[in-house]
Amino acid sequence: MNFGDIILILIKFAGAVVVFIYGMKLMSEGLQKAAGGKMRSIMSRMTGNRFHGIITGAAVTAAVQSSTATTVMVVGFVNSGLLTLAGAIAVIMGANIGTTITSWIILLGMSVGAAEYTFPLIVFALASPLLLMKGDKARSISEFVIGFGILLVGLRFLQHTMPDLTQHPAVLQMMHGWSDSGFWVIPLFIIAGAALAVLNQASSAVMAITLLFTANGWIGFDIAAAIVMGQNIGTTLTANIAATKANTAGKKAARAHFVFNMVGTLLTLIVLYPVLNLTAYLAELLSGITPAFNYRLLPVAIVPLATTLFHTFFNVANTIILSFFIPQYIKIVNLMVKPSPEETDDDFRLRYISGGFTNTAELNLQAAQNEIQNYSKRILRMFTFLPNLRTAKDDDEFNQVLQHIEKYESIADRMEMEISKYLTKAAADLSAEGSQRVSSMLRIVDNLESVGDIIYQIAMTRKNKREAAVHFDQELNDNLAHMTQLVQHALDIMDNNIRNDYHRIDLDAAYKAEQDINQYRDTLRARHLDALKLGVYDFAIGNAYSSLYALYEKLGDYIINISEAIDDSVKTAEVLGQKNETTTK
């Protein structure tokens, strides 16, 4: 085997891995599209205690075939306050159980019988949306089937790219010698497994490669087990990357994922050889072979099954044992992640989407929704500065408040541009329901930016009034203060609607708040016209006063637009859901 042959093998092998990962990606995204927002909703609700959290994490990960998807969602939920750190740790533990399903799918795909049906499976999936099934959900299921078929193709490519090492006995003898090198070699392959998971950004690909190596007899059961433990550690990197822009709580959730897998690996190393013997015994028992309770006597043909059993045993046993130590986990991550001296909103910072796209479209949508919640929080903070302009004791205090508002207005403009750009890209690979949700989000972002513009206009009107030495009497100040309270109430309802699941918005309360603003504006306008006729105050005072209450009323218009955009998204999703149910029957 010369250098050129080695390069060719590596290129083919890399291509096969890419095909496999693409198939897994299609599977995951198809399932997520079919589920819509239900997975996110389930995860945010069913985490009342650690057992519910574990079940939820396992079920969601098994359903979407991606522990990465689950853990990134967990970081987002913790960051936005929808999930406690204890609940997040429980879900992450469950995700490790759910991801073992992928190993069994790969083991099944390695069988000759499964691979023979690959292309008929893909052809059927391509044809079914046109001939048999209608509706967006049906197409998403078809995408999942196509992804599964491509995954099988990737596995077959991986099998065919494996060189025949029997023709190179020196290399084969060296690889076999690893298992005879003693316990010290196990940590090295744990590190190798972690590195492979980091490089591939897909633990399933590392699992597939490991199983193929064992099937060819290149590595022993103990080495395969070490790589399995390593890839469990390496896969935690994605969640930690997602948490780089998160707040302290989000970072703690990501670190908890890493700590859990590290502690589980260390505990397993203590009893590694008894565990290997036990899983080897079970693999031989399931295969109908007389068990020997000695992993070194395991036939090569049984090692892939034993490796898959070890993966399952490793995650299930660690979850059961370590779930009783969640409070201790919280103490550890609290030591690892210190809170920032001040987590302030006074600087431009995107917490959720600045890291780019994840490999699943539904997560891009979740990241955008989290960012919109962050955007809404900033707008509400910006509004609270306005009363300080009226109560400022001197020009320095007034200018300091005005600078805060100007800075927030600039941040609001940049956030609107970045979120809109992100949503436009995300819409390219979503279901019809997801696309409608993107349209709703774009309307929300546009109106939030308009709210920020109006707040800035109110501030500038206050500035012009101060420079012109225009003074309001107590009655006019009280009227504007009451209008401010009405708008604040409407903003609170709007923010609550943005933060809740879109199917649980309070549209009636939003309409009532807007109606109160409009009615009070009408009352102030009538009184204002009467005051001008009677000469109660001069034109300069009247002009500044009417401009201010009109701007506050304009805020109410943009605020109600946001709740209406959410409601339109819900109604359209319900219509699409009914169509999907009708067309699939």
Side-chain angles (χ1 to χ4, degrees):
M1 184 182 295
N2 56 39
F3 181 74
D5 293 334
I6 294 174
I7 294 297
L8 184 60
I9 289 172
L10 290 176
I11 292 174
K12 289 180 179 180
F13 186 77
V17 171
V18 169
V19 172
F20 176 87
I21 292 175
Y22 179 67
M24 182 60 70
K25 177 177 180 290
L26 278 183
M27 280 179 61
S28 178
E29 289 191 350
L31 284 168
Q32 288 185 60
K33 289 177 187 177
K38 292 180 182 178
M39 292 302 174
R40 296 187 299 270
S41 177
I42 290 171
M43 190 180 295
S44 63
R45 295 178 190 177
M46 293 183 60
T47 52
N49 57 53
R50 66 173 180 266
F51 298 111
H52 286 163
I54 290 170
I55 292 170
T56 300
V60 170
T61 304
V64 301
Q65 283 301 296
S66 174
S67 60
T68 296
T70 305
T71 51
V72 171
M73 279 191 280
V74 165
V75 170
F77 285 142
V78 173
N79 199 37
S80 57
L82 295 175
L83 193 60
T84 65
L85 182 57
I89 293 173
V91 173
I92 287 168
M93 288 178 172
N96 275 28
I97 294 176
T99 196
T100 61
I101 301 297
T102 307
S103 302
W104 291 100
I105 291 174
I106 295 170
L107 186 66
L108 173 66
M110 287 172 60
S111 67
V112 177
E116 288 178 349
Y117 296 102
T118 296
F119 289 106
L121 196 66
I122 294 176
V123 171
F124 173 77
L126 288 170
S128 59
L130 301 174
L131 304 177
L132 303 177
M133 300 183 293
K134 302 293 181 182
D136 187 69
K137 185 169 291 188
R139 284 191 294 271
S140 298
I141 294 172
S142 177
E143 182 177 328
F144 160 76
V145 176
I146 293 171
F148 181 62
I150 294 175
L151 179 146
L152 295 178
V153 171
L155 276 174
R156 176 51 63 91
F157 285 168
L158 280 170
Q159 288 174 313
H160 284 307
T161 55
M162 295 290 179
D164 185 6
L165 291 187
T166 57
Q167 299 179 10
H168 306 277
V171 177
L172 190 60
Q173 185 177 1
M174 180 190 70
M175 297 182 74
H176 284 164
W178 290 337
S179 294
D180 299 323
S181 300
F183 182 80
W184 69 270
V185 80
I186 299 297
L188 293 180
F189 278 94
I190 290 175
I191 295 171
L196 283 171
V198 170
L199 290 173
N200 284 280
Q201 282 293 289
S203 59
S204 56
V206 180
M207 194 67 193
I209 294 169
T210 304
L211 292 179
L212 287 171
F213 276 19
T214 59
N216 284 297
W218 293 2
I219 57 176
F221 182 31
D222 53 344
I223 301 300
I227 295 173
V228 166
M229 290 187 284
Q231 58 96 0
N232 264 35
I233 295 172
T235 195
T236 64
L237 179 69
T238 304
N240 280 277
I241 291 174
T244 54
K245 300 296 182 180
N247 59 20
T248 300
K251 287 184 175 70
K252 287 179 179 179
R255 299 298 186 277
H257 190 200
F258 171 76
V259 171
F260 169 69
N261 284 348
M262 276 296 299
V263 171
T265 298
L266 292 174
L267 289 177
T268 304
L269 284 174
I270 296 173
V271 292
L272 178 61
Y273 293 118
V275 170
L276 292 178
N277 288 331
L278 176 62
T279 48
Y281 175 86
L282 292 174
E284 289 176 322
L285 204 62
L286 290 173
S287 301
I289 299 174
T290 303
F293 205 80
N294 187 340
Y295 77 91
R296 292 183 180 277
L297 302 178
L298 196 63
V300 171
I302 310 300
V303 176
L305 173 59
T307 303
T308 305
L309 281 170
F310 174 83
H311 186 214
T312 303
F313 179 86
F314 172 78
N315 286 297
V316 172
N318 281 325
T319 297
I320 292 173
I321 295 170
L322 298 178
S323 63
F324 293 99
F325 298 94
I326 289 178
Q328 286 70 31
Y329 271 99
I330 293 175
K331 290 180 181 179
I332 292 172
V333 296
N334 283 341
L335 291 173
M336 293 177 68
V337 182
K338 298 295 183 182
S340 304
E342 53 175 349
E343 287 191 342
T344 177
D345 289 333
D346 283 349
D347 294 306
F348 175 71
R349 181 178 51 149
L350 295 175
R351 291 182 173 178
Y352 301 94
I353 66 177
S354 55
F357 284 92
T358 67
N359 62 348
T360 47
E362 284 295 324
L363 288 189
N364 294 327
L365 209 57
Q366 178 65 43
Q369 183 171 332
N370 290 341
E371 201 65 73
I372 290 172
Q373 293 172 1
N374 182 34
Y375 191 10
S376 177
K377 175 185 174 183
R378 288 178 183 268
I379 293 297
L380 263 68
R381 173 69 173 154
M382 182 181 178
F383 184 77
T384 62
F385 293 139
L386 288 178
N388 297 333
L389 292 174
R390 184 180 70 81
T391 59
K393 297 176 181 178
D394 51 42
D395 288 343
D396 288 341
E397 185 178 342
F398 182 91
N399 290 331
Q400 187 176 13
V401 175
L402 186 62
Q403 286 175 4
H404 272 300
I405 294 175
E406 289 174 340
K407 188 170 185 177
Y408 268 64
E409 198 272 337
S410 175
I411 290 173
D413 288 344
R414 292 171 66 186
M415 287 190 74
E416 188 269 340
M417 180 178 65
E418 293 297 330
I419 297 173
S420 296
K421 188 189 305 181
Y422 185 88
L423 284 170
T424 302
K425 291 180 180 178
D429 194 23
L430 290 170
S431 61
E433 181 180 346
S435 297
Q436 176 58 36
R437 200 173 179 91
V438 166
S439 298
S440 173
M441 288 179 174
L442 287 170
R443 286 178 59 193
I444 292 170
V445 168
D446 180 59
N447 281 280
L448 281 172
E449 192 273 336
S450 296
V451 170
D453 285 344
I454 299 299
I455 294 172
Y456 177 72
Q457 290 178 36
I458 292 173
M460 295 308 296
T461 302
R462 285 282 185 184
K463 176 177 179 289
N464 295 335
K465 168 183 168 296
R466 189 180 185 89
E467 291 176 349
V470 173
H471 301 287
F472 294 159
D473 61 22
Q474 189 61 44
E475 180 183 356
L476 297 186
N477 281 327
D478 289 345
N479 291 343
L480 290 173
H482 183 64
M483 178 64 94
T484 301
Q485 292 175 359
L486 293 176
V487 174
Q488 180 67 63
H489 179 60
L491 281 168
D492 290 338
I493 294 172
M494 173 207 78
D495 185 64
N496 193 51
N497 285 338
I498 288 175
R499 292 182 183 283
N500 276 333
D501 184 278
Y502 279 14
H503 291 270
R504 295 186 292 129
I505 72 162
D506 193 346
L507 192 61
D508 291 338
Y511 277 131
K512 177 64 169 58
E514 199 237 354
Q515 185 180 26
D516 290 343
I517 293 171
N518 289 341
Q519 289 178 347
Y520 194 64
R521 185 277 314 269
D522 293 341
T523 300
L524 294 183
R525 183 165 55 190
R527 292 177 186 173
H528 168 64
L529 294 175
D530 290 340
L532 287 178
K533 291 177 183 178
L534 297 173
V536 175
Y537 42 70
D538 60 26
F539 176 78
I541 293 175
N543 184 54
Y545 176 60
S546 62
S547 296
L548 284 171
Y549 69 66
L551 285 171
Y552 277 107
E553 188 276 332
K554 191 69 174 175
L555 277 176
D557 292 340
Y558 289 120
I559 291 168
I560 192 62
N561 286 346
I562 292 169
S563 291
E564 286 179 337
I566 297 173
D567 185 59
D568 288 345
S569 175
V570 173
K571 289 177 179 176
T572 304
E574 289 174 351
V575 171
L576 289 171
Q578 291 171 0
K579 286 183 177 179
N580 282 332
E581 289 179 5
T582 302
T583 52
T584 52
K585 285 182 179 179

